[in-house]
Amino acid sequence: MKAWVRGAVIAVTAASTVAAFAACGQGAGNDSGGGSGPKIGVLLPDATTARWETQDRPLLERKIKELCDDCTVENANAKGDVALQQAQMNSMITEGVDAVVLVAVDARSLRPAVRKVAEADIPVIAYDRLAQGPISGYVSFDGEEVGRLQGRALLKAMGDTVSGGRIVMMNGDPSDPNAMSFKKGALSVLDGKVEITKAYDTRDWSTEIAHMNMSGAISALGVGNIQGVYAANDGLAAGSVSALKANKVNPLPPVTGQDAELGALRRIVAGEQYMTVYKPFGPEASAGAALAVAAARGESLDRIAKDKVRTSSGNTVPAVLLTPVSVTVDTIKDTVVKDGVHTIQQICTPQLDAACTKAGLT
Ligand code: BGC
């Protein structure tokens, strides 16, 4: 029996009230104040992609507290290190958490760690990335649709240069199953329409490696011979754009992205990046929190998760699958600004004053 449930049962026995027991059994357990309720571990993969620490972490924490005011949250960030995430998962077992929200650094390598956590009777909710092993639930976006949105936007932005146009593909880290889905979706749109002259898989989704790869592509292909860049996320877009600029590529080719990072929105307003894919953080965190709280209380996840996903082990688990949104300069205001992800003030630095006015970001 989990510590917090055990505590609740003892308290109830002392009070001898059946009604109170029913409340604790449902995990309400609020009478013992903060800290005595379920513990939820939130394990994030790295600190290089802005979203995890600036969006997902605070939102998950807030939503968990909203649903369960006596829940406590144990935080960990693996800094892109598989061994560190393994150790963090072991610590979650030792600390006796009641559920884990996991963004796996590397789905396959973390499989034994997921199994160990599940065997300790701790449900694992795979957050954004489909972890391997015996997970209990999953929340994410349709990854192939992300890739299709990026691919379609790139073709649109390339306009007349599509036919015979050469593009460079900056894909994500292959140990992240999402990277494969993004690539697959993008290729389903791009194949046969453009020439993919160079394609890179980028370890750790690293901006620096993307910069290096783009510099290499420019040397190999020549300045002026790249008509478009498929970058799987905004970090890879940042590395690609900085390399294009350092090599004096002018005009810059259209570049895609993902995550609606502040830097990406500024590049979009400045005309240095064509688009980003916005995957609303609020609904994802809400679903992640609801699944984790329900799992920690031993409740069924089917009420929250209407979809299903097949895991690597061939099991089907409850899933929440959300819809990604393509964002260009014309839609920043109606999407990320409207949802309060970033304010116009944050996006529009003094240097972007004129561009922001032109884009209607006032
Ligand atoms: C997420 C992206 C993120 C990338 C790098 C992917 O699994 O879906 O939103 O940009 O990881 O952290």
Side-chain angles (χ1 to χ4, degrees):
M1 191 186 286
K2 306 283 185 207
W4 67 276
V5 176
R6 210 167 33 237
V9 171
I10 291 164
V12 166
T13 312
S16 301
T17 68
V18 176
F21 179 73
C24 291
Q26 287 157 16
N30 295 336
D31 48 355
S32 45
S36 63
K39 268 196 219 169
I40 296 177
V42 174
L43 292 112
L44 300 184
D46 62 67
T48 45
T49 299
R51 62 166 289 183
W52 305 122
E53 289 297 340
T54 63
Q55 303 288 339
D56 300 278
R57 163 97 60 220
L59 283 168
L60 276 166
E61 195 149 354
R62 171 148 38 101
K63 308 273 181 186
I64 289 170
K65 290 283 184 191
E66 272 169 23
L67 293 169
C68 173
D69 63 3
D70 68 345
C71 273
T72 47
V73 178
E74 297 284 329
N75 287 311
N77 188 308
K79 304 193 173 91
D81 183 337
V82 173
L84 181 55
Q85 195 163 57
Q86 261 156 0
Q88 290 170 340
M89 288 171 81
N90 284 335
S91 301
M92 294 290 165
I93 299 175
T94 319
E95 283 168 35
V97 300
D98 300 286
V100 151
V101 176
L102 171 70
V103 188
V105 173
D106 176 327
R108 192 177 323 148
S109 311
L110 265 312
R111 188 185 179 128
V114 169
R115 185 171 305 121
K116 206 169 155 193
V117 171
E119 279 168 5
D121 220 8
I122 302 168
V124 177
I125 305 301
Y127 185 81
D128 199 80
R129 299 181 181 171
L130 188 56
Q132 292 192 13
I135 59 166
S136 298
Y138 175 55
V139 53
S140 194
F141 288 80
D142 178 344
E144 289 186 28
E145 178 63 7
V146 170
R148 287 192 290 270
L149 291 176
Q150 293 167 322
R152 278 189 219 120
L154 187 58
L155 294 183
K156 183 169 179 218
M158 287 173 70
D160 293 346
T161 66
V162 163
S163 162
R166 297 164 159 212
I167 73 154
V168 174
M169 261 193 125
M170 297 290 175
N171 297 302
D173 188 324
S175 69
D176 172 357
N178 284 343
M180 298 293 116
S181 306
F182 303 150
K183 191 202 285 194
K184 189 169 170 208
L187 287 176
S188 74
V189 172
L190 297 172
D191 262 345
K193 298 274 182 6
V194 288
E195 190 190 335
I196 301 166
T197 45
K198 296 263 177 211
Y200 303 91
D201 289 329
T202 320
R203 192 167 40 81
D204 297 336
W205 290 92
S206 155
T207 300
E208 290 72 30
I209 297 177
H211 178 103
M212 231 171 57
N213 287 339
M214 181 53 77
S215 303
I218 298 165
S219 309
L221 302 169
V223 173
N225 284 329
I226 299 169
Q227 281 76 44
V229 177
Y230 167 86
N233 80 349
D234 290 336
L236 303 182
S240 304
V241 169
S242 65
L244 290 162
K245 284 166 76 175
N247 284 277
K248 313 241 171 328
V249 174
N250 188 10
L252 289 170
V255 178
T256 63
Q258 166 180 197
D259 284 346
E261 283 185 8
L262 187 56
L265 298 171
R266 289 178 180 156
R267 282 191 297 279
I268 291 174
V269 173
E272 296 178 344
Q273 181 173 327
Y274 179 67
M275 62 88 73
T276 185
V277 173
Y278 168 49
K279 299 187 295 186
F281 302 103
E284 188 172 24
S286 288
L291 290 172
V293 169
R297 288 171 169 168
E299 296 169 357
S300 155
L301 304 187
D302 292 325
R303 194 178 40 86
I304 301 155
K306 301 290 176 219
D307 301 311
K308 294 271 177 222
V309 78
R310 191 173 289 280
T311 67
S312 58
S313 355
N315 300 335
T316 310
V317 297
V320 176
L321 292 174
L322 303 160
T323 308
V325 180
S326 181
V327 175
T328 59
V329 71
D330 299 325
T331 55
I332 291 175
K333 201 168 178 177
D334 290 339
T335 54
V336 286
V337 171
K338 183 163 157 252
D339 285 0
V341 179
H342 304 291
T343 62
I344 290 180
Q345 232 171 0
Q346 286 169 325
I347 300 167
C348 294
T349 57
Q351 296 96 297
L352 291 176
D353 226 19
C356 275
T357 307
K358 190 163 162 234
L361 289 170
T362 49

